[in-house]
Amino acid sequence: MCEWRSDVVTGLDSRDADIRDGKRVQMLVQEQSPDWIVLAAAYTDVDGCERNPEMAFAVNRDGAVNVASAARMTGARLLFLSSDYVFDGTKTVPYETGDARNPRSVYGRSKAEAEIKLRELLPNCCIVRTSWLFGLGGKCFPDTILKLAASRPTLDVVNDQRGCPTYTVDLARTIVQLCQKNTEGIVHATNGGDCTWFEFAEEIVRGAGLGTAVRPVSSEKMARPASRPAYSVLSHSSLQALGITMPPWRDALRRYLEERRS
Ligand SMILES: NC(=O)c1ccc[n+]([C@@H]2O[C@H](COP(=O)([O-])OP(=O)(O)OC[C@H]3O[C@@H](n4cnc5c(N)ncnc54)[C@H](OP(=O)(O)O)[C@@H]3O)[C@@H](O)[C@H]2O)c1
C-alpha cells in the first residue's frame, strides 16, 4: 500500500477556480506552487456533453489547456485524468496506450482533443486513462443500482458494453505511485478484469445481499443521447511496465460495499 505521508496535498474544487478561467487558474497555481497537479475536474455527464458540446470542449479541452499552461509557466508536473471513451470500442482485446483514438461521443472527443493538446503543450505530462469509476462521495453506478434495487423487484441493465470498473481508492493510490515515479506519457489505470454493466450490476446486488432480479438488455433498448463504446477494456501493460498492479474489480467492489456500510 502506498500512502502520501510526507508531502502536502491540497484539494481544490470548482469553488476555488473554474478551469475555464485561465487567469484564475494561473494565479492559483502560482500561489500554491505545486510539484504536481492532478487534474480530475471535468464535465463528466456524457449525455449532457452531447446536448451541450460548447460546454464539453470549454471545460474538458480548453480548461485542461489552461491548467497545462499554468503548469508550464510554474514548472509543475501535470497528471491529467482521461477516459476509455477516447476509443471507439471496435476492438475485442484490451486497448493499448498507443492504439488510435476514435471517440464516438462529444465527451470522448473533448477528452481526446485535450490529450493531444496537452502533449503538445507539455510533452512530459502524464495522461492517465481510466474507466467506470465508483467510490464514496458522489454519484456512481453501484450507488445508483443499490438505490434502485431497494425499491424495485427487477432491474434492466445493458449487457453489450464491456469495460472495467475502477474503485477511486485504488485509482488514487495508483496516482500517488505514478507521481512518485515521475511518470511521463500515457498510462492505462483500471482495476483488474472486465465485465458488462449487467454483470457489474449482478455482482453489486449479490454483494449487498439483495434479492432484486437483474435482467440483461441491449443498449438499443436503453437508447441514450451519447453512443458508448461496446468494448473499452484498457490493457494493464503500461502499469505493469512501471511495476504497479491494481486489484481485481470484484475485490474492489467488496471493499467499496464494506466502506459504504461502515
Ligand atoms: N466517472 C467515470 O467513470 C470516469 C471514467 C473515465 C475517466 N473519468 C475522468 O476522471 C475524472 C474524475 O471523474 P469523476 O467521475 O470523479 O468526475 P465528477 O464526479 O463528475 O467530478 C468532476 C469534478 O469536476 C468539477 N468541475 C466541473 N466543471 C468544472 C470547471 N469548469 N471548473 C472546475 N471544476 C469543475 C466538478 O465540480 P462541481 O461538482 O462543483 O461542478 C467536480 O468536482 C474526470 O476527468 C473524468 O473525465 C471518469
Side-chain angles (χ1 to χ4, degrees):
M1 195 174 104
C2 173
E3 284 178 9
W4 217 331
R5 284 182 199 278
S6 56
D7 302 316
V8 177
V9 182
T10 307
L12 300 174
D13 64 23
S14 59
R15 286 164 298 188
D16 300 296
D18 185 321
I19 58 170
R20 289 171 296 179
D21 181 347
K23 284 209 174 81
R24 173 88 190 134
V25 168
Q26 191 186 314
M27 205 193 80
L28 262 185
V29 172
Q30 269 167 342
E31 208 175 272
Q32 301 286 336
S33 188
D35 296 315
W36 275 92
I37 301 170
V38 175
L39 178 56
Y43 179 33
T44 59
D45 175 350
V46 177
D47 293 321
C49 285
E50 214 63 26
R51 287 185 286 260
N52 192 350
E54 292 78 18
M55 170 97 127
F57 287 105
V59 176
N60 296 348
R61 181 194 57 201
D62 304 341
V65 166
N66 286 339
V67 178
S69 305
R72 195 161 93 150
M73 196 167 289
T74 59
R77 297 289 316 278
L78 175 67
L79 185 149
F80 172 68
L81 279 166
S82 190
S83 166
D84 54 332
Y85 284 15
V86 300
F87 296 120
D88 59 17
T90 53
K91 271 186 90 173
T92 51
V93 292
Y95 278 93
E96 300 294 340
T97 53
D99 282 335
R101 303 173 186 93
N102 189 21
R104 289 280 171 89
S105 61
V106 169
Y107 169 75
R109 277 213 318 274
S110 68
K111 289 300 232 182
E113 290 186 20
E115 287 187 2
I116 294 164
K117 286 195 171 285
L118 259 49
R119 294 200 81 186
E120 282 166 10
L121 194 66
L122 211 57
N124 73 348
C125 73
C126 178
I127 292 171
V128 178
R129 294 189 188 127
T130 188
S131 64
W132 296 24
L133 291 182
F134 65 94
L136 293 188
K139 245 178 76 175
C140 67
F141 183 77
D143 185 58
T144 305
I145 290 294
L146 291 172
K147 283 182 179 146
L148 290 174
S151 61
R152 292 191 195 172
T154 56
L155 291 177
D156 289 352
V157 183
V158 295
N159 195 30
D160 53 8
Q161 291 169 33
R162 181 166 291 277
C164 188
T166 303
Y167 188 21
T168 49
V169 170
D170 293 337
L171 179 63
R173 285 187 182 138
T174 297
I175 288 173
V176 173
Q177 293 178 73
L178 291 171
C179 293
Q180 288 172 338
K181 287 173 186 281
N182 268 317
T183 312
E184 298 182 10
I186 302 176
V187 176
H188 287 173
T190 67
N191 277 122
D194 59 70
C195 60
T196 66
W197 290 112
F198 160 73
E199 290 162 353
F200 190 20
E202 266 197 321
E203 195 71 17
I204 294 163
V205 168
R206 191 180 310 128
L210 299 170
T212 316
V214 185
R215 297 187 305 203
V217 294
S218 68
S219 304
E220 213 178 2
K221 193 164 172 233
M222 310 282 269
R224 296 171 77 175
S227 152
R228 269 87 172 157
Y231 181 94
S232 63
V233 179
L234 301 177
S235 162
H236 289 166
S237 54
S238 54
L239 262 197
Q240 276 161 1
L242 292 161
I244 302 173
T245 315
M246 291 177 70
W249 71 264
R250 282 192 170 79
D251 171 75
L253 176 63
R254 186 185 48 73
R255 285 179 285 121
Y256 163 79
L257 292 172
E258 267 170 29
E259 196 187 358
R260 202 171 182 272
R261 275 191 291 265
S262 62

